[in-house]
Each structure stands twice: as C-alpha cells, then as structure tokens.
Amino acid sequence: GESVGLHLPTLSVQEGDNSIINCAYSNSASDYFIWYKQESGKGPQFIIDIRSNMDKRQGQRVTVLLNKTVKHLSLQIAATQPGDSAVYFCAETGQLQGDMRFGAGTRLTVKP
Amino acid sequence: KAGVTQTPRYLIKTRGQQVTLSCSPISGHRSVSWYQQTPGQGLQFLFEYFSETQRNKGNFPGRFSGRQFSNSRSEMNVSTLELGDSALYLCASSLDLAGGTDTQYFGPGTRLTVL
C-alpha cells in the first residue's frame, strides 16, 4: 500500500550545526505535506507545511523542500539547538481531509 | 487561544473492557481526527469527524468508533479491549473552512494501557 517514510533513522548533530531530515513518500496524488515535531510525552507539534504547487517554503530557522519528481521531502533546521531534540515526522495527505499519513519518524539528538 | 485538550491523559484497563476518550478541539475548529500511535506501527489514522458526521475512516476494526457533538467536541470509544490496543491515542483538530486539506493541530494524547 501507499506509505510515507518507511524507517526510523536517527540523526545526531552538534549544537549550532544545521540539520537535514529526509522523508520519502510514495503517493504521487498527495498535495499537502507537513512536518511535525514530537517531544517525549507530548503530541506532535506543527512545524511547517508545503503544498504541492511549491518546492520550497521557509519558516523561522526551518526550511522545507519538496521534490515531486522523486517524491522526496526534507526539513532543514538551521543552527540546531538542544531544544530541537525530538522525533520529527513527515506527513502527507491527498484529497481526503483527516486522512493524514505519517512517516515512521526521525529521532534528532542535539549534542551541546 | 487554548490548544487541543484530551482527557483523560492516562488510562489503565483490562482486556474485554471498553473505554471512552474525549477531545476538545481548538475553538473554531470544525474537523476532528483521531490517530493511534504505537512503537511498532507508528501513527495511524483512525477516523475524522466534521459537523457531527464521520467523514473519513482508517483501517481499524469496528471495535473502534467515535462521534462528534454540535460543539465540535469528539469522543472515541474502544470496545472489547485487547492487549494490542495499548497505545497513545491522539486527537487533532483543524479549521477546514474550505472543505479541503488543512493543518491539523494535535493534543497531548491519552495513554491507554490494556492489561
């Protein structure tokens, strides 16, 4: 079946470095993509989103890149801080509101 | 503006029992979705409610059900609990003004443990 981001890799970076978290999706009909951050014991927190008519969107210290040709999504975090340590999920959805499909997540650890 | 709230935060039940979880969406949000999160399966979509109607449903057995009230608050019910139902149950709400895809904001979740 369709899926998003099949594995849970880990990424360890030094404080102050830039982080890049990647995600692959398989549903070419998906038109809305979101990155969420989940800290231990909390629900996912919205970080940034992008629609399929864009290939890049920037927020505060974060940038999302969408490559529809290879069905790849990435999240870039600039000047990573210890508070950025969490599991990051990419999610995608198509025409059906609420049917959001999540990747397995990437655990980001920031070393001081 | 208050975020999505879920009650209770923690629950312990035994096999065969049933449970009801509650979710209050962000004020003004009309769509409420429910997800199950487990270490093995990750985040999986259960169902979505809009205007008191179930609009979309994931691939879960009929033991999982839900409803939405006129004030957009939602409940989900799991009957005949199984050990595998132990999970973090997350509720998310969105505005859904135009009827299309919209950002979902999550609550803290209800941690259900089935013994």
Side-chain angles (χ1 to χ4, degrees), chain A residues 31-35 48-57 64-66 73:
Chain A
D31 62 2
Y32 182 51
F33 304 85
I34 306 175
W35 281 100
I48 192 168
D49 60 359
I50 188 168
R51 297 203 180 263
S52 59
N53 60 352
M54 303 173 67
D55 52 21
K56 180 179 180 179
R57 191 160 188 228
V64 56
L65 298 177
L66 175 63
L73 194 67

PDB file of all heavy atoms in Angstrom, chain A residues 31-35 48-57 64-66 73:
ATOM      1  N   ASP A  31      -0.999  16.123  -2.045  1.00  0.00           N
ATOM      2  CA  ASP A  31      -0.826  17.522  -2.419  1.00  0.00           C
ATOM      3  C   ASP A  31      -0.539  18.437  -1.249  1.00  0.00           C
ATOM      4  O   ASP A  31      -0.444  19.655  -1.411  1.00  0.00           O
ATOM      5  CB  ASP A  31      -2.055  18.020  -3.184  1.00  0.00           C
ATOM      6  CG  ASP A  31      -3.332  17.955  -2.349  1.00  0.00           C
ATOM      7  OD1 ASP A  31      -3.262  17.559  -1.172  1.00  0.00           O
ATOM      8  OD2 ASP A  31      -4.393  18.300  -2.880  1.00  0.00           O
ATOM      9  N   TYR A  32      -0.410  17.854  -0.061  1.00  0.00           N
ATOM     10  CA  TYR A  32      -0.153  18.688   1.108  1.00  0.00           C
ATOM     11  C   TYR A  32       0.766  17.905   2.037  1.00  0.00           C
ATOM     12  O   TYR A  32       0.475  16.750   2.374  1.00  0.00           O
ATOM     13  CB  TYR A  32      -1.478  19.029   1.797  1.00  0.00           C
ATOM     14  CG  TYR A  32      -1.373  19.933   2.988  1.00  0.00           C
ATOM     15  CD1 TYR A  32      -0.674  21.137   2.921  1.00  0.00           C
ATOM     16  CD2 TYR A  32      -1.983  19.600   4.195  1.00  0.00           C
ATOM     17  CE1 TYR A  32      -0.590  21.968   4.019  1.00  0.00           C
ATOM     18  CE2 TYR A  32      -1.902  20.432   5.297  1.00  0.00           C
ATOM     19  CZ  TYR A  32      -1.213  21.617   5.203  1.00  0.00           C
ATOM     20  OH  TYR A  32      -1.123  22.445   6.282  1.00  0.00           O
ATOM     21  N   PHE A  33       1.830  18.576   2.469  1.00  0.00           N
ATOM     22  CA  PHE A  33       2.855  17.909   3.261  1.00  0.00           C
ATOM     23  C   PHE A  33       3.167  18.740   4.499  1.00  0.00           C
ATOM     24  O   PHE A  33       3.205  19.969   4.430  1.00  0.00           O
ATOM     25  CB  PHE A  33       4.137  17.722   2.444  1.00  0.00           C
ATOM     26  CG  PHE A  33       3.912  16.986   1.156  1.00  0.00           C
ATOM     27  CD1 PHE A  33       3.506  17.666   0.017  1.00  0.00           C
ATOM     28  CD2 PHE A  33       4.095  15.619   1.095  1.00  0.00           C
ATOM     29  CE1 PHE A  33       3.275  16.993  -1.167  1.00  0.00           C
ATOM     30  CE2 PHE A  33       3.874  14.928  -0.092  1.00  0.00           C
ATOM     31  CZ  PHE A  33       3.464  15.621  -1.221  1.00  0.00           C
ATOM     32  N   ILE A  34       3.366  18.052   5.605  1.00  0.00           N
ATOM     33  CA  ILE A  34       3.600  18.737   6.879  1.00  0.00           C
ATOM     34  C   ILE A  34       4.750  18.059   7.610  1.00  0.00           C
ATOM     35  O   ILE A  34       4.907  16.837   7.554  1.00  0.00           O
ATOM     36  CB  ILE A  34       2.344  18.686   7.773  1.00  0.00           C
ATOM     37  CG1 ILE A  34       1.124  19.228   7.030  1.00  0.00           C
ATOM     38  CG2 ILE A  34       2.560  19.469   9.062  1.00  0.00           C
ATOM     39  CD1 ILE A  34      -0.159  19.087   7.835  1.00  0.00           C
ATOM     40  N   TRP A  35       5.514  18.861   8.308  1.00  0.00           N
ATOM     41  CA  TRP A  35       6.495  18.342   9.252  1.00  0.00           C
ATOM     42  C   TRP A  35       6.012  18.623  10.670  1.00  0.00           C
ATOM     43  O   TRP A  35       5.595  19.733  10.987  1.00  0.00           O
ATOM     44  CB  TRP A  35       7.858  18.997   9.043  1.00  0.00           C
ATOM     45  CG  TRP A  35       8.628  18.437   7.908  1.00  0.00           C
ATOM     46  CD1 TRP A  35       8.747  18.956   6.649  1.00  0.00           C
ATOM     47  CD2 TRP A  35       9.401  17.236   7.909  1.00  0.00           C
ATOM     48  NE1 TRP A  35       9.545  18.153   5.880  1.00  0.00           N
ATOM     49  CE2 TRP A  35       9.968  17.095   6.628  1.00  0.00           C
ATOM     50  CE3 TRP A  35       9.694  16.253   8.880  1.00  0.00           C
ATOM     51  CZ2 TRP A  35      10.784  16.022   6.286  1.00  0.00           C
ATOM     52  CZ3 TRP A  35      10.500  15.190   8.545  1.00  0.00           C
ATOM     53  CH2 TRP A  35      11.051  15.084   7.252  1.00  0.00           C
ATOM     54  N   ILE A  48       6.038  23.144  10.023  1.00  0.00           N
ATOM     55  CA  ILE A  48       5.929  23.849   8.757  1.00  0.00           C
ATOM     56  C   ILE A  48       5.223  22.946   7.757  1.00  0.00           C
ATOM     57  O   ILE A  48       5.260  21.728   7.876  1.00  0.00           O
ATOM     58  CB  ILE A  48       7.336  24.260   8.241  1.00  0.00           C
ATOM     59  CG1 ILE A  48       7.237  25.238   7.076  1.00  0.00           C
ATOM     60  CG2 ILE A  48       8.169  23.030   7.872  1.00  0.00           C
ATOM     61  CD1 ILE A  48       8.559  25.912   6.715  1.00  0.00           C
ATOM     62  N   ASP A  49       4.575  23.564   6.789  1.00  0.00           N
ATOM     63  CA  ASP A  49       3.872  22.778   5.773  1.00  0.00           C
ATOM     64  C   ASP A  49       4.216  23.309   4.384  1.00  0.00           C
ATOM     65  O   ASP A  49       4.798  24.388   4.232  1.00  0.00           O
ATOM     66  CB  ASP A  49       2.358  22.809   5.999  1.00  0.00           C
ATOM     67  CG  ASP A  49       1.768  24.218   5.954  1.00  0.00           C
ATOM     68  OD1 ASP A  49       2.523  25.205   5.766  1.00  0.00           O
ATOM     69  OD2 ASP A  49       0.541  24.339   6.126  1.00  0.00           O
ATOM     70  N   ILE A  50       3.850  22.531   3.382  1.00  0.00           N
ATOM     71  CA  ILE A  50       4.070  22.945   1.997  1.00  0.00           C
ATOM     72  C   ILE A  50       3.050  22.244   1.113  1.00  0.00           C
ATOM     73  O   ILE A  50       2.704  21.082   1.352  1.00  0.00           O
ATOM     74  CB  ILE A  50       5.522  22.631   1.550  1.00  0.00           C
ATOM     75  CG1 ILE A  50       5.822  23.243   0.184  1.00  0.00           C
ATOM     76  CG2 ILE A  50       5.778  21.119   1.533  1.00  0.00           C
ATOM     77  CD1 ILE A  50       7.303  23.237  -0.186  1.00  0.00           C
ATOM     78  N   ARG A  51       2.558  22.962   0.137  1.00  0.00           N
ATOM     79  CA  ARG A  51       1.613  22.358  -0.805  1.00  0.00           C
ATOM     80  C   ARG A  51       2.351  21.966  -2.069  1.00  0.00           C
ATOM     81  O   ARG A  51       3.449  22.444  -2.337  1.00  0.00           O
ATOM     82  CB  ARG A  51       0.467  23.332  -1.091  1.00  0.00           C
ATOM     83  CG  ARG A  51      -0.321  23.622   0.169  1.00  0.00           C
ATOM     84  CD  ARG A  51      -1.733  24.104  -0.068  1.00  0.00           C
ATOM     85  NE  ARG A  51      -2.402  24.351   1.209  1.00  0.00           N
ATOM     86  CZ  ARG A  51      -3.204  23.477   1.784  1.00  0.00           C
ATOM     87  NH1 ARG A  51      -3.447  22.320   1.212  1.00  0.00           N
ATOM     88  NH2 ARG A  51      -3.782  23.757   2.947  1.00  0.00           N
ATOM     89  N   SER A  52       1.727  21.136  -2.846  1.00  0.00           N
ATOM     90  CA  SER A  52       2.425  20.524  -3.979  1.00  0.00           C
ATOM     91  C   SER A  52       2.733  21.506  -5.093  1.00  0.00           C
ATOM     92  O   SER A  52       3.517  21.188  -5.993  1.00  0.00           O
ATOM     93  CB  SER A  52       1.605  19.347  -4.533  1.00  0.00           C
ATOM     94  OG  SER A  52       0.337  19.789  -4.946  1.00  0.00           O
ATOM     95  N   ASN A  53       2.152  22.705  -5.053  1.00  0.00           N
ATOM     96  CA  ASN A  53       2.451  23.689  -6.093  1.00  0.00           C
ATOM     97  C   ASN A  53       3.695  24.532  -5.749  1.00  0.00           C
ATOM     98  O   ASN A  53       4.021  25.482  -6.445  1.00  0.00           O
ATOM     99  CB  ASN A  53       1.247  24.599  -6.337  1.00  0.00           C
ATOM    100  CG  ASN A  53       0.845  25.374  -5.092  1.00  0.00           C
ATOM    101  OD1 ASN A  53       1.364  25.136  -4.008  1.00  0.00           O
ATOM    102  ND2 ASN A  53      -0.087  26.292  -5.256  1.00  0.00           N
ATOM    103  N   MET A  54       4.353  24.151  -4.654  1.00  0.00           N
ATOM    104  CA  MET A  54       5.574  24.840  -4.240  1.00  0.00           C
ATOM    105  C   MET A  54       6.697  23.818  -4.131  1.00  0.00           C
ATOM    106  O   MET A  54       6.449  22.619  -3.963  1.00  0.00           O
ATOM    107  CB  MET A  54       5.379  25.517  -2.881  1.00  0.00           C
ATOM    108  CG  MET A  54       4.218  26.499  -2.837  1.00  0.00           C
ATOM    109  SD  MET A  54       3.920  27.095  -1.166  1.00  0.00           S
ATOM    110  CE  MET A  54       5.411  28.044  -0.875  1.00  0.00           C
ATOM    111  N   ASP A  55       7.950  24.297  -4.191  1.00  0.00           N
ATOM    112  CA  ASP A  55       9.056  23.382  -3.964  1.00  0.00           C
ATOM    113  C   ASP A  55       9.918  23.785  -2.758  1.00  0.00           C
ATOM    114  O   ASP A  55      10.798  23.048  -2.345  1.00  0.00           O
ATOM    115  CB  ASP A  55       9.922  23.217  -5.218  1.00  0.00           C
ATOM    116  CG  ASP A  55      10.372  24.544  -5.776  1.00  0.00           C
ATOM    117  OD1 ASP A  55      10.379  25.548  -5.028  1.00  0.00           O
ATOM    118  OD2 ASP A  55      10.718  24.598  -6.975  1.00  0.00           O
ATOM    119  N   LYS A  56       9.617  24.955  -2.205  1.00  0.00           N
ATOM    120  CA  LYS A  56      10.386  25.394  -1.051  1.00  0.00           C
ATOM    121  C   LYS A  56       9.538  26.340  -0.217  1.00  0.00           C
ATOM    122  O   LYS A  56       8.799  27.167  -0.753  1.00  0.00           O
ATOM    123  CB  LYS A  56      11.662  26.105  -1.507  1.00  0.00           C
ATOM    124  CG  LYS A  56      12.550  26.616  -0.393  1.00  0.00           C
ATOM    125  CD  LYS A  56      13.795  27.287  -0.967  1.00  0.00           C
ATOM    126  CE  LYS A  56      14.710  27.818   0.121  1.00  0.00           C
ATOM    127  NZ  LYS A  56      15.934  28.443  -0.450  1.00  0.00           N
ATOM    128  N   ARG A  57       9.689  26.223   1.093  1.00  0.00           N
ATOM    129  CA  ARG A  57       8.999  27.146   1.994  1.00  0.00           C
ATOM    130  C   ARG A  57       9.888  27.340   3.216  1.00  0.00           C
ATOM    131  O   ARG A  57      10.438  26.373   3.748  1.00  0.00           O
ATOM    132  CB  ARG A  57       7.639  26.596   2.391  1.00  0.00           C
ATOM    133  CG  ARG A  57       6.785  27.618   3.098  1.00  0.00           C
ATOM    134  CD  ARG A  57       5.314  27.255   3.051  1.00  0.00           C
ATOM    135  NE  ARG A  57       4.533  28.372   3.584  1.00  0.00           N
ATOM    136  CZ  ARG A  57       3.578  28.250   4.485  1.00  0.00           C
ATOM    137  NH1 ARG A  57       3.272  27.063   4.941  1.00  0.00           N
ATOM    138  NH2 ARG A  57       2.929  29.307   4.915  1.00  0.00           N
ATOM    139  N   VAL A  64      11.480  23.795   4.377  1.00  0.00           N
ATOM    140  CA  VAL A  64      11.016  22.530   3.830  1.00  0.00           C
ATOM    141  C   VAL A  64      11.211  22.566   2.312  1.00  0.00           C
ATOM    142  O   VAL A  64      10.917  23.567   1.665  1.00  0.00           O
ATOM    143  CB  VAL A  64       9.549  22.225   4.208  1.00  0.00           C
ATOM    144  CG1 VAL A  64       8.615  23.344   3.792  1.00  0.00           C
ATOM    145  CG2 VAL A  64       9.093  20.899   3.614  1.00  0.00           C
ATOM    146  N   LEU A  65      11.757  21.490   1.790  1.00  0.00           N
ATOM    147  CA  LEU A  65      11.966  21.343   0.358  1.00  0.00           C
ATOM    148  C   LEU A  65      11.153  20.163  -0.144  1.00  0.00           C
ATOM    149  O   LEU A  65      11.127  19.104   0.495  1.00  0.00           O
ATOM    150  CB  LEU A  65      13.459  21.107   0.063  1.00  0.00           C
ATOM    151  CG  LEU A  65      14.419  22.221   0.466  1.00  0.00           C
ATOM    152  CD1 LEU A  65      15.853  21.807   0.177  1.00  0.00           C
ATOM    153  CD2 LEU A  65      14.091  23.522  -0.247  1.00  0.00           C
ATOM    154  N   LEU A  66      10.492  20.350  -1.250  1.00  0.00           N
ATOM    155  CA  LEU A  66       9.678  19.299  -1.845  1.00  0.00           C
ATOM    156  C   LEU A  66      10.149  19.024  -3.256  1.00  0.00           C
ATOM    157  O   LEU A  66      10.205  19.936  -4.087  1.00  0.00           O
ATOM    158  CB  LEU A  66       8.200  19.724  -1.852  1.00  0.00           C
ATOM    159  CG  LEU A  66       7.212  18.787  -2.555  1.00  0.00           C
ATOM    160  CD1 LEU A  66       7.163  17.430  -1.868  1.00  0.00           C
ATOM    161  CD2 LEU A  66       5.827  19.418  -2.616  1.00  0.00           C
ATOM    162  N   LEU A  73      10.850  14.719   0.427  1.00  0.00           N
ATOM    163  CA  LEU A  73      10.587  15.888   1.258  1.00  0.00           C
ATOM    164  C   LEU A  73      11.744  16.004   2.250  1.00  0.00           C
ATOM    165  O   LEU A  73      12.223  14.980   2.773  1.00  0.00           O
ATOM    166  CB  LEU A  73       9.288  15.643   2.012  1.00  0.00           C
ATOM    167  CG  LEU A  73       8.559  16.757   2.727  1.00  0.00           C
ATOM    168  CD1 LEU A  73       8.011  17.760   1.738  1.00  0.00           C
ATOM    169  CD2 LEU A  73       7.426  16.173   3.549  1.00  0.00           C
TER     170      LEU A  73
END
